[in-house]
Amino acid sequence: MRNELLNELKLEDLQGEARELAETIGMDAFRRLVDVYGGTGRVYIPQADKLLIPIRDRLIRDEYNGSNVYALCKKWNLSEGYVRGIVREKTEQIRRAPLDGQCTLFDV
């Protein structure tokens, strides 16, 4: 019975934040959200900035070439320490890599 009534729910029936949410995600998604999470208090919607941090960090690592920390700081508006923390692992990989034309002990 509840699901039947929920299917009858229209945008015009909503007010305030519920209406704003339904307008943003659409009525079908709103109905599913209400059905699954309604009243539970378990839904948290993170800020977009927080969700984008891993993508930003990946792009910084992709752009990092071992000598462009300051350019990355300027481009991404981050401190040197923060950028160095992001690229720490890649820095070690670059340092351990043999120079062009250089053989390693394992190449012999």
Side-chain angles (χ1 to χ4, degrees):
M1 178 75 152
R2 183 182 85 151
N3 284 345
E4 292 171 12
L5 290 175
L6 197 54
N7 287 333
E8 295 297 319
L9 186 64
K10 307 267 187 270
L11 186 62
E12 302 82 45
D13 299 324
L14 303 173
Q15 297 176 3
E17 289 179 355
R19 184 179 182 123
E20 193 175 320
L21 181 59
E23 288 173 341
T24 302
I25 66 173
M27 281 304 293
D28 288 337
F30 180 77
R31 286 185 198 101
R32 285 194 309 269
L33 191 67
V34 168
D35 189 40
V36 174
Y37 294 103
T40 64
R42 293 181 3 211
V43 175
Y44 167 74
I45 301 172
Q47 295 176 350
D49 291 349
K50 301 297 182 202
L51 292 173
L52 298 177
I53 288 172
I55 297 165
R56 180 207 60 202
D57 291 356
R58 185 186 72 232
L59 292 172
I60 289 171
R61 282 188 292 275
D62 289 347
E63 294 175 39
Y64 179 63
N65 63 18
S67 63
N68 61 340
V69 168
Y70 299 112
L72 293 171
C73 291
K74 189 172 183 177
K75 177 179 180 177
W76 294 96
N77 196 31
L78 296 170
S79 70
E80 179 184 351
Y82 204 84
V83 171
R84 288 192 186 281
I86 292 169
V87 299
R88 180 173 288 123
E89 199 171 296
K90 189 168 180 182
T91 300
E92 289 303 316
Q93 290 173 351
I94 291 171
R95 285 183 181 155
R96 285 190 215 130
L99 300 174
D100 286 339
Q102 184 180 28
C103 296
T104 68
L105 292 172
F106 304 105
D107 292 336
V108 182

